[in-house]
Amino acid sequence: MNALAPSAPVDLTPGRPSALADSGTLVWRGLARWRRDPGPLIASLGFNILIVLIFAYLFGGAMQVPDGGSYREFLMPGMFVMTMVFGISLTTIAVADDLERGVTDRLRSMPVAPLAPLVARAVTDLLFALVTLAVLLVTGLAVGWRAHGGVDAALGAVGLILLLRFALVWVGIFLGLVTRGQSAVVAVQTLEFPLGFLSNAFVAPSTMPAWLGAVAAWNPLSATVGAARELFGNPGWGGDSWAAQHYLWLAVAWPIALVAVFLPLSVVRYRRLSG
């Protein structure tokens, strides 16, 4: 990468007139990349649908839902949240790719609002997550999942799922700013599965060894999954632990905590990027 002069200090003063316009332009750039190269979007959607079919039709018959109920209805809120987790690597790859190709350095050398690239990445990936979630909702309906809690409760569940994705976007942005090379990205992708499976997404924590069940119950993903199950009216959202009894509260608290940590870290790291 060609050496460039260090960029000017980032101005964090709110209300800069061009910030919104610059962010919108960069969001449009991200959407244009989808149109030119839809392969990653299609591959991501296909992978998520395949996981649903595997668990619904291959493993579902062997799974037991606490207090009874349909495993497919138990499964789908977990799958909705898992797709948000799988998005971490997509965000990391996009941010790391812009760094490797010099796009980030170019933007920092131009009269672009300082934090517009980060805001645009967060918005673009949230739109990606919205498309993914819409496809998974339709897939869930096709395999027998139903929401029984009413329209308002269902919208609340969708809102909590997207809130978690927004928090995970900032995790992915930070990782993309600090990692280098394909091996680092692969490491991020590898971490998604333990994070997702060590939760209540596919099995109830009560079926795990006590210490492992406690870890799973306090997993931020478990809070959103449990809250979504409760709002959708699906089985298996309760439990005896304090965390399980307060999933709705934790489904808001955990994403806020993640954003409070990783958004400032991302901003600081972005400001310290060398040219």
Side-chain angles (χ1 to χ4, degrees):
M1 185 182 297
N2 294 331
L4 298 175
S7 61
V10 176
D11 179 13
L12 296 179
T13 303
R16 179 172 175 174
S18 64
L20 183 61
D22 289 347
S23 298
T25 299
L26 292 174
V27 169
W28 184 254
R29 167 185 172 263
L31 297 179
R33 290 186 66 180
W34 288 5
R35 186 178 66 251
R36 293 194 303 269
D37 182 19
L41 175 60
I42 295 173
S44 176
L45 294 176
F47 175 76
N48 292 324
I49 292 172
L50 180 62
I51 293 295
V52 170
L53 297 179
I54 288 174
F55 274 87
Y57 291 106
L58 295 183
F59 300 153
M63 300 292 188
Q64 297 296 321
V65 179
D67 301 323
S70 166
Y71 179 72
R72 293 179 188 176
E73 292 199 345
F74 174 88
L75 168 69
M76 288 313 302
M79 275 305 310
F80 299 150
V81 172
M82 280 295 292
T83 60
M84 304 298 105
V85 179
F86 292 149
I88 295 176
S89 61
L90 297 177
T91 301
T92 301
I93 290 170
V95 174
D97 185 55
D98 280 349
L99 280 172
E100 291 290 331
R101 295 190 298 113
V103 175
T104 300
D105 287 332
R106 177 64 63 86
L107 290 174
R108 283 165 54 81
S109 69
M110 296 171 63
V112 175
L115 299 183
L118 299 185
V119 173
R121 171 50 46 195
V123 173
T124 302
D125 286 5
L126 200 59
L127 292 174
F128 189 106
L130 185 60
V131 172
T132 302
L133 184 56
V135 172
L136 262 291
L137 287 167
V138 174
T139 304
L141 293 172
V143 300
W145 168 80
R146 296 293 183 270
H148 305 288
V151 175
D152 291 343
L155 291 176
V158 169
L160 289 176
I161 293 169
L162 292 176
L163 177 63
L164 177 66
R165 177 63 183 121
F166 179 74
L168 296 178
V169 163
W170 289 104
V171 175
I173 289 174
F174 176 71
L175 294 176
L177 291 172
V178 300
T179 56
R180 290 292 185 274
Q182 186 61 31
S183 60
V185 173
V186 171
V188 173
Q189 292 175 317
T190 304
L191 289 174
E192 291 174 341
F193 283 91
L195 178 63
F197 281 98
L198 190 55
S199 70
N200 63 359
F202 300 109
V203 296
S206 60
T207 65
M208 305 176 187
W211 67 271
L212 194 61
V215 173
W218 281 95
N219 187 328
L221 275 61
S222 294
T224 301
V225 173
R229 286 182 179 134
E230 181 176 356
L231 291 171
F232 283 134
N234 296 147
W237 58 266
D240 297 328
S241 67
W242 187 93
Q245 296 297 319
H246 298 83
Y247 274 151
L248 280 171
W249 184 84
L250 289 174
V252 176
W254 270 120
I256 291 175
L258 289 173
V259 172
V261 171
F262 285 98
L263 192 156
L265 286 176
S266 298
V267 171
V268 170
R269 179 63 183 176
Y270 185 77
R271 294 181 67 184
R272 292 179 178 175
L273 288 175
S274 59

